[in-house]
Amino acid sequence: MNDHVRPGFATEVDFHLPKGYVDASGTLHRHGVMRLATAADEILPLRDPRVQQNEAYLIVIVLARVLTRLGTLTDIDTSTIEGLYASDLAYLQQLYERLNAPGELDGDEAAPAGRSMHGMSASGGA
């Protein structure tokens, strides 16, 4: 089995939030890192009762799993994602879709325009 990452294959991306997350102490966090999602990142949250009650919550859990850093914060959880401004949540959702879209990293043809790759929407639509 070949476990090495090929040269030029990015597994994480840096980002800057449009507005930023303000933590309990008033510190603004705008720069962060998102990693590629695994199958478990998309499958396991489907068992969560919050997702079963409200499908729109799926993106909250998934983002909490794939964000590895937000400013000085390294322990990102659902309450962190819930505290984001709506424009920042939309920005991260779009970044997630681009980063995890088939073909995005290896040059294959991407999915049709206007179609969500993962069916996750902050507004609750699929």
Side-chain angles (χ1 to χ4, degrees):
M1 183 170 178
N2 189 354
D3 289 330
H4 72 280
V5 175
R6 71 179 186 224
F9 182 74
T11 60
E12 293 186 331
V13 294
D14 292 329
F15 63 84
H16 284 85
L17 294 175
K19 295 197 176 4
Y21 171 75
V22 180
D23 67 19
S25 66
T27 303
L28 179 66
H29 304 274
R30 291 188 68 200
H31 179 260
V33 178
M34 181 185 292
R35 67 169 174 77
L36 283 174
T38 64
D41 291 326
E42 293 195 352
I43 294 169
L44 295 177
L46 296 172
R47 298 179 187 162
D48 191 293
R50 296 169 293 185
V51 173
Q52 293 172 359
Q53 289 180 314
N54 180 359
E55 290 180 13
Y57 202 77
L58 178 60
I59 192 63
V60 173
I61 296 174
V62 171
L63 287 175
R65 293 176 63 100
V66 300
L67 294 184
T68 60
R69 189 168 53 76
L70 183 56
T72 59
L73 306 175
T74 56
D75 186 22
I76 313 298
D77 59 20
T78 55
S79 65
T80 307
I81 305 302
E82 290 171 354
L84 292 170
Y85 293 108
S87 59
D88 289 334
L89 178 62
Y91 170 84
L92 288 172
Q93 182 174 347
Q94 290 172 357
L95 177 62
Y96 178 89
E97 291 288 337
R98 284 194 316 267
L99 181 62
N100 292 286
E104 210 44 40
L105 296 175
D106 60 11
D108 291 343
E109 187 174 322
R115 184 155 187 246
S116 171
M117 304 306 311
H118 298 87
M120 290 183 268
S121 171
S123 64

